[in-house]
Amino acid sequence: MMMAGHFGLAAAVKAKSPNIPLWALLVSTQLLDIVFLPLFIAGIESMQPVAGNGYGGYLFQAYYSHSLLGALLIALLTGLAANRFWGRRGGVILSSVVFSHWILDLLVHRADLPILPGNLGDLPLLGLGLWNFTMASILIESTLIIVGAILYFRTILATARAGQKAMTMTVLKGVTMGVLMAFLLFVDVI
């Protein structure tokens, strides 16, 4: 569902923002889906299969967590909270990472993303529908993963202190992140 692509973006941002913990970037890039989960369990938001069980095979009714205004509000609140821990720059970065989720979803989702929470005003739903073109979706997501993994791995290698233990931990971190993103892409595709 583009989860691995979101994580690839988080890895790329981590490469350029070493002061922000990777866990904060990973949570931020998935925060809209984290908000979706309790709303889904409560029956407020939903998803229905539309094209089988494969890649992008669902139509989402995430009218609160994934509305344009809702995503902006979640991003703003995240930025304000992050500002307390990682300063203004960290708050802006994490806020941007939260909102990047909506931008990436806009590319791949069918027209199921509302502008206003609850789809107030019954405005047109947004989505460019790249999920209808499986190979293009996989190519874009794979590119996000590969670029993110390369940038992340290069950064941790460059910042590793001299010494075998530090180098071993650096390589382990990079391999772990790469395996996680590859696994998530595999899960997305099947």
Side-chain angles (χ1 to χ4, degrees):
M1 305 288 206
M2 184 60 107
M3 182 182 292
H6 292 303
F7 283 165
L9 180 70
V13 172
K14 174 63 177 170
K16 300 299 180 186
S17 306
N19 294 337
I20 301 174
L22 183 59
W23 69 263
L25 291 163
L26 294 174
V27 168
S28 294
T29 196
Q30 289 298 319
L31 196 53
L32 298 185
D33 287 344
I34 292 168
V35 171
F36 170 80
L37 188 58
L39 296 173
F40 175 76
I41 291 169
I44 297 169
E45 296 187 338
S46 65
M47 57 187 200
Q48 291 83 30
V50 292
N53 295 327
Y55 198 71
Y58 290 91
L59 182 65
F60 291 87
Q61 291 177 333
Y63 288 175
Y64 295 94
S65 63
H66 285 66
S67 68
L68 174 59
L69 188 58
L72 286 169
L73 180 61
I74 293 167
L76 175 66
L77 293 173
T78 300
L80 291 173
N83 183 49
R84 297 185 61 134
F85 299 101
W86 299 291
R88 183 176 178 172
R89 182 176 185 273
V92 169
I93 290 169
L94 287 174
S95 181
S96 299
V97 169
V98 169
F99 190 67
S100 76
H101 182 110
W102 193 87
I103 298 295
L104 291 174
D105 279 2
L106 177 66
L107 294 175
V108 296
H109 275 237
R110 293 163 182 83
D112 62 4
L113 299 171
I115 296 169
L116 299 174
N119 198 22
L120 288 174
D122 201 27
L123 298 171
L125 298 174
L126 306 175
L128 299 177
L130 276 179
W131 275 338
N132 293 322
F133 307 97
T134 303
M135 291 311 296
S137 296
I138 291 171
L139 179 64
I140 289 171
E141 189 165 16
S142 298
T143 301
L144 281 170
I145 293 165
I146 291 166
V147 169
I150 288 169
L151 290 173
Y152 178 74
F153 193 68
R154 283 180 46 196
T155 299
I156 59 176
L157 282 177
T159 59
R161 301 192 198 293
Q164 190 60 35
K165 184 176 180 182
M167 184 58 74
T168 301
M169 288 306 295
T170 298
V171 171
L172 183 60
K173 285 180 187 177
V175 169
T176 301
M177 185 65 157
V179 168
L180 173 65
M181 289 190 293
F183 173 73
L184 290 173
L185 178 62
F186 174 75
V187 169
D188 279 354
V189 173
I190 59 166

